[in-house]
Amino acid sequence: MRTAALPLLTRVLLGALAALVLVLGLPQTAQATDPAKDTAASDTTQSAEDSTAGPADPAEDTQAGTASTGNGTIGIGVSGFRFEDLDPRTTPNLWKMMKSSEIGTITPRSVRSTSCPVDGWLGVGSGRRAADEPRDQCRDPQPPLDGWVADWDVYAQVARGDNYDATLGGLAEAVPEISAIGSGAAIAAADPAGHVENWSPVGRDLGEEAAADSAAGKLTLVDLGNTASDGYSLKDLDRRVGTILRSSGWLSADGTTIETGRSPILFSSIADGADDGSSMQATMMLRPGQEPGLLTSSSTRQPGLIQVPDIAPTLVQLSGGETMDNVAGAPMTSDSGGSNWESRYQAVLDRQVAVKTQNDLSTWFFPVVATLMVGLLVLAWFLRKNHRDLVHSGAYRLGIVFAAMPVSTYLVNTLPWERATNPDIAMLGAVAGWSLVLGSVALLGPWRRHTLGPVLFVSVVTVCVLAYDVVTGSQLQMSTLLGEPLLIGSRFYGIGNSALALYCCALLLSVAGFASLTKKPLTRLLIVLVPVFVSCVILAAPGLGTKFGSVPTLIIGVAYIALAAAGIRFSFKRLGLTVGIAGFVMLTVLFLDWLRPADQRTHFGRFFDSIISGEALGVLARKIGMNIDILTQSWMTLILPLIIIGVFWLALAPQRFSLQGLREAYAKIPLLRATVISLAILLGVGTIINDSGIVVPAVGILFLVPVFVHLETFETRHSRLGFGRRDDGTEREQNATAESIDGGGD
């Protein structure tokens, strides 16, 4: 590249990125999903990645604590009830409750992909994921016998062996005064031995009994059954909820309005209720003195989104009990933000539509896209001698458009696509639209005549978009095609494994492009290391990326390109030293967080504590098991490693496969080949460290394959159009740049 073009290139890129960040900030504030403030932004950062959590910040007591009222709390649990089931005619009482309460959609994920009523009640009683034994059909909770919960020994045995570390009976230990109405409620109210003191079946005097128990200061749990079961009547459910609301003072005597009641009431659908598919469930909460709003918690940090493990610590806090130690959730909070009930209701419906759409599309979208991109690469290779203009011109453009597709899957959340009549078509259209916009800017900008110019533009935009998303709460990653599937409930904030793979690939290509603009080893090294160091802080800091595996992945992955930038020859000894440095840095971070008081540690400090106690083996075993499950779930995932190896083989041995464009790109960009090697190392490390396993390199090649296609066709296209040579008509600059490879250590 010409050094004289550097200022222009840099100015245009920075200007485009500044404008992009500004634009990204606008649609999020304009979305109908009322963005709640991060009321749970405390030192007790929650992470669903390792299924550990701590108590919420004491400041939250001003919102969630109601012990001063002198009354207990009523927790109503059902299964299979969604916000779509609400209807002002069929469920008038629940409809009134929704309009006046704090609401949120709840992920019912338990140990397995679908959750049964028993799973939900075990989660309520423990504050962690817990489940019944695997069964063909969900078990109906049975009434206790002489005060002992039926099948408790089965539940306890499963909890000991599922690696989720659930402590059954934790709720009963934290809140000594519990009454249970209904068979499922007895499961949540039982002590660690499976014994429940105060239990009664659901009767005609349900409302009076629940109101009397709560007036006596008890935490009252009510099981109103499984709405997904055959013959269940939503009208009966609504009538029973109405009697509880009326008896506790929340519903007026004539049943027309919601008033300020005496006891907090939490209504939640705690499980799917069937094994034929999962979906987001409904949660509503009424608290004396609390304005309506969107529910959230410090375990999710997303407005209108909570998880089943949040229910136990919420009930404990509302009841004034002792803090539960071993929980994966946190007390629910909310922020009304002055919103009306229509916007809140629309927000939770949008969330549920997004979750369902992502779940429906992801089964076929990426296999199709991957096939198209691999076919594009094969086409560019086989037909390079025939129909040269057509093939290379199309591959050149499509390559950069496809390279913009991964980041476009996140940018769709800047648009209200969930409101469309056909949300699946709207989502795909938004992905295609963003890809075309970014691809067009990359191809038409002043950087287009530089070999890595369009790729560099897309890479920098990708890094900036994902970094911006992490810093502002990760809303772009929620329920998008490359984002976090909330039905799995693996992560609710920070950076996910797919986003991490994309970020790292784009970051390494970005630093390689800018570092190749200079021949000074020290300057090159700084250009490589400074963005990586900043990225480590963003990706690993609690409350931001909160990604434990990001630091070793980046440090080990960047080692090869850093050595090449400094002009130092690579060796396995130096690689081993880098691995040691990465391990030392991460242990230091874990240790420093562990030194804080136990109630202020993040999941970093709690993980270090689990290493000391030996419980970390369970977490690691679960991650390894997830990796194996992902790899063996279908024949397509089994062949993914071969495809990934084949892609890097093509990229690193272009002369073997007659890929002249890549060979010329390596000659012109001193650090490009070293970057490809670093990417192979990085994706390999990411596969081992992160619990998504083979998904990490799979996402990486979704980005890298179109990049390779674009680079392969760049020189041929420009030579055909008369741009192959520089302005002086010579190749002196190309030769001079190629000679700098020796100084780059490639």
Side-chain angles (χ1 to χ4, degrees):
M1 296 181 186
R2 293 173 295 175
T3 56
L6 174 58
L8 174 61
L9 175 61
T10 304
R11 287 198 302 269
V12 175
L13 280 175
L14 292 178
L17 293 175
L20 180 62
V21 171
L22 177 63
V23 171
L24 285 179
L26 296 177
Q28 290 196 10
T29 60
Q31 284 185 23
T33 54
D34 186 29
K37 298 177 183 177
D38 191 6
T39 57
S42 64
D43 289 337
T44 53
T45 303
Q46 309 298 318
S47 175
E49 177 189 15
D50 58 13
S51 298
T52 60
D57 193 294
E60 293 175 353
D61 292 343
T62 59
Q63 291 187 354
T66 58
S68 60
T69 63
N71 292 296
T73 301
I74 300 176
I76 304 173
V78 298
S79 298
F81 188 83
R82 303 170 299 171
F83 278 108
E84 293 92 328
D85 296 325
L86 287 175
D87 185 271
R89 291 166 295 183
T90 306
T91 58
N93 296 316
L94 286 168
W95 182 261
K96 297 185 187 74
M97 183 180 183
M98 178 274 297
K99 293 172 65 175
S100 302
S101 64
E102 306 161 79
I103 63 175
T105 183
I106 185 169
T107 174
R109 176 73 179 206
S110 184
V111 175
R112 288 173 282 276
S113 58
T114 57
S115 55
C116 293
V118 169
D119 305 347
W121 286 112
L122 288 172
V124 172
S126 63
R128 297 189 73 88
R129 294 184 183 183
D132 191 4
E133 63 184 350
R135 301 170 63 91
D136 293 335
Q137 293 183 340
C138 289
R139 185 202 306 263
D140 293 327
Q142 298 299 310
L145 181 62
D146 297 330
W148 296 93
V149 174
D151 303 306
W152 185 263
D153 56 338
V154 175
Y155 308 151
Q157 182 178 0
V158 174
R160 288 192 296 269
D162 62 14
N163 291 325
Y164 282 94
D165 194 30
T167 302
L168 302 188
L171 181 62
E173 290 187 318
V175 183
E177 292 293 325
I178 300 182
S179 66
I181 303 175
S183 302
I187 297 175
D191 62 23
H195 186 258
V196 57
E197 289 287 345
N198 303 307
W199 176 84
S200 62
V202 176
R204 293 184 177 180
D205 57 348
L206 171 64
E208 292 78 5
E209 183 180 359
D213 287 345
S214 65
K218 298 179 181 179
L219 168 59
T220 305
L221 301 179
V222 182
D223 176 18
L224 293 185
N226 181 7
T227 66
S229 61
D230 294 336
Y232 191 95
S233 172
L234 291 179
K235 289 185 177 180
D236 287 343
L237 169 65
D238 185 75
R239 177 180 54 79
R240 289 172 174 172
V241 172
T243 61
I244 296 175
L245 293 175
R246 188 176 291 105
S247 299
S248 56
W250 284 102
L251 191 63
S252 60
D254 58 5
T256 58
T257 59
I258 293 291
E259 302 177 347
T260 300
R262 297 179 293 272
S263 301
I265 294 182
L266 175 61
F267 172 89
S268 182
S269 183
I270 57 177
D272 295 306
D275 56 2
D276 58 352
S278 183
S279 61
M280 303 297 285
Q281 305 293 301
T283 298
M284 300 181 284
M285 182 160 61
L286 291 168
R287 292 184 286 178
Q290 180 65 37
E291 293 294 325
L294 285 174
L295 288 171
T296 185
S297 77
S298 59
S299 73
T300 66
R301 300 192 176 189
Q302 299 294 333
L305 177 65
I306 51 178
Q307 55 173 333
V308 170
D310 292 333
I311 295 177
T314 301
L315 293 175
V316 169
Q317 193 174 68
L318 291 174
S319 304
E322 299 180 0
T323 302
M324 297 175 67
D325 294 328
N326 183 32
V327 293
M332 301 177 198
T333 60
S334 73
D335 182 16
S336 62
S339 62
N340 53 35
W341 74 266
E342 290 95 342
S343 64
R344 295 192 300 271
Y345 187 50
Q346 187 63 56
V348 294
L349 291 179
D350 287 347
R351 177 82 69 180
Q352 298 192 166
V353 169
V355 171
K356 184 179 185 302
T357 304
Q358 180 204 35
N359 188 57
D360 292 342
L361 292 181
S362 59
T363 57
W364 61 265
F365 178 77
F366 287 104
V368 170
V369 172
T371 301
L372 289 175
M373 287 194 297
V374 173
L376 182 64
L377 182 61
V378 173
L379 185 67
W381 178 54
F382 276 112
L383 300 183
R384 56 186 295 109
K385 293 183 179 179
N386 298 320
H387 309 290
R388 186 167 182 159
D389 293 341
L390 175 63
V391 171
H392 282 271
S393 178
Y396 169 81
R397 292 179 174 85
L398 288 176
I400 207 67
V401 171
F402 271 114
M405 185 273 295
V407 71
S408 298
T409 64
Y410 299 104
L411 289 171
V412 295
N413 272 355
T414 62
L415 304 171
W417 58 270
E418 305 96 334
R419 308 284 179 83
T421 305
N422 297 300
D424 50 351
I425 297 177
M427 176 188 255
L428 293 175
V431 171
W434 273 111
S435 300
L436 290 172
V437 169
L438 294 178
S440 298
V441 175
L443 292 169
L444 298 176
W447 44 77
R448 66 185 183 277
R449 296 188 182 183
H450 297 274
T451 303
L452 201 61
V455 172
L456 189 58
F457 175 84
V458 173
S459 298
V460 173
V461 169
T462 299
V463 170
C464 290
V465 167
L466 292 178
Y468 169 84
D469 185 45
V470 168
V471 172
T472 56
S474 306
Q475 294 191 32
L476 296 181
Q477 295 181 58
M478 296 299 111
S479 300
T480 51
L481 287 170
L482 267 181
E484 294 304 301
L486 297 181
L487 286 177
I488 295 178
S490 59
R491 175 173 287 269
F492 303 98
Y493 64 91
I495 189 164
N497 290 329
S498 297
L500 176 65
L502 179 60
Y503 182 95
C504 291
C505 290
L507 177 66
L508 263 60
L509 283 173
S510 299
V511 298
F514 285 111
S516 296
L517 295 174
T518 178
K519 298 180 181 179
K520 297 179 180 180
L522 180 59
T523 305
R524 281 184 175 182
L525 188 61
L526 289 176
I527 292 175
V528 170
L529 294 184
V530 171
V532 171
F533 174 77
V534 173
S535 295
C536 287
V537 174
I538 294 175
L539 299 180
L544 292 178
T546 324
K547 188 66 175 176
F548 177 82
S550 62
V551 173
T553 299
L554 262 178
I555 292 179
I556 297 173
V558 82
Y560 192 92
I561 187 177
L563 292 173
I568 301 174
R569 187 176 296 277
F570 172 82
S571 69
F572 286 102
K573 181 178 180 180
R574 294 189 177 103
L575 179 61
L577 178 63
T578 305
V579 174
I581 293 173
F584 175 78
V585 170
M586 286 310 302
L587 285 176
T588 301
V589 173
L590 298 177
F591 176 72
L592 291 176
D593 193 75
W594 177 77
L595 291 177
R596 304 163 75 184
D599 62 343
Q600 297 181 14
R601 294 172 185 164
T602 70
H603 73 287
F604 288 165
R606 291 191 295 273
F607 183 72
F608 188 85
D609 187 70
S610 69
I611 294 176
I612 297 175
S613 64
E615 297 177 356
L617 293 176
V619 176
L620 295 176
R622 186 176 73 251
K623 290 179 178 289
I624 293 173
M626 292 176 66
N627 282 346
I628 295 175
D629 290 342
I630 292 173
L631 182 61
T632 58
Q633 64 183 0
S634 71
W635 66 268
M636 295 185 64
T637 55
L638 283 174
I639 66 172
L640 263 178
L642 299 178
I643 296 175
I644 295 166
I645 293 172
V647 169
F648 278 103
W649 188 18
L650 284 168
L652 292 173
Q655 67 282 354
R656 180 184 294 271
F657 299 97
S658 301
L659 299 177
Q660 185 62 30
L662 278 178
R663 293 178 62 186
E664 294 177 357
Y666 291 152
K668 294 178 182 178
I669 306 168
L671 294 178
L672 184 56
R673 190 173 188 278
T675 301
V676 176
I677 296 174
S678 281
L679 286 171
I681 297 173
L682 182 146
L683 294 177
V685 173
T687 302
I688 298 172
I689 291 180
N690 297 289
D691 51 17
S692 292
I694 197 65
V695 172
V696 173
V699 172
I701 65 169
L702 281 179
F703 176 67
L704 293 176
V705 165
V707 167
F708 295 151
V709 170
H710 175 80
L711 293 176
E712 167 61 21
T713 55
F714 177 89
E715 181 64 24
T716 301
R717 175 188 178 273
H718 281 72
S719 63
R720 297 290 293 177
L721 296 179
F723 296 126
R725 296 179 182 271
R726 301 307 181 191
D727 294 339
D728 58 2
T730 69
E731 296 182 354
R732 286 178 295 176
E733 182 184 351
Q734 295 182 9
N735 294 334
T737 308
E739 290 172 1
S740 66
I741 298 175
D742 295 334
D746 286 354

